[in-house]
Amino acid sequence: MLKGSCLCGAVTYEVHGEPGAPAACHCNQCRKQSGHVWASSYVAEGTLKISGDVRWYQSSEKARRGFCPTCGSALFWEHDDDSFTCFSTGSIDGPTGLQLRGHIHTADKGDYYTISADEPQREN
């Protein structure tokens, strides 16, 4: 079972399902939220146990982002049309055992870095 937390430890979570392989998102919102690229894995709805006070921000008409109101750590992402919750791979405590499946929303990536051509990429 994977466990994770925010920087200050006020929000913790446990993954009680099989997590999907993480992706590195390069969209404008993820870059602004994280300061660079936001890598996240996902798990089926109802299999992520969250403890602590998570603040949710409605970042678009159909998606919201969960973060710790104390330290500001970006932890979760949910879309109204999906049956899963994404969680930050950087917030996992200890080894993850996960392998990055590729890069998404590369059409919006920053101009200050490159992605190796041999890594899987999706423009949106």
Side-chain angles (χ1 to χ4, degrees):
M1 172 181 21
L2 293 176
K3 295 181 179 184
S5 63
C6 63
L7 182 62
C8 72
V11 175
T12 61
Y13 64 89
E14 295 178 349
V15 177
H16 291 274
E18 185 65 32
C25 185
H26 299 264
C27 81
N28 187 50
Q29 286 188 3
C30 282
R31 286 188 299 111
K32 285 185 177 281
Q33 164 189 276
S34 69
H36 182 51
V37 174
W38 197 64
S40 67
S41 187
Y42 59 94
V43 69
E45 191 173 13
T47 60
L48 184 68
K49 180 183 175 197
I50 300 172
S51 300
D53 180 29
V54 175
R55 183 86 37 93
W56 291 92
Y57 170 68
Q58 195 72 36
S59 56
S60 72
E61 186 177 296
K62 291 193 166 212
R64 67 185 191 153
R65 297 168 183 271
F67 64 96
C68 173
T70 302
C71 67
S73 294
L75 298 168
F76 310 109
W77 182 87
E78 293 181 338
H79 192 279
D80 291 349
D81 295 337
D82 294 333
S83 59
F84 58 84
T85 299
C86 293
F87 59 94
S88 165
T89 53
S91 66
I92 297 170
D93 298 329
T96 69
L98 300 172
Q99 181 76 26
L100 191 69
R101 67 181 155 97
H103 301 265
I104 60 174
H105 298 286
T106 58
D108 293 336
K109 76 171 229 26
D111 63 355
Y112 57 90
Y113 63 96
T114 58
I115 302 170
S116 176
D118 63 341
E119 294 185 55
Q121 299 178 39
R122 194 179 83 205
E123 286 193 356
N124 52 30

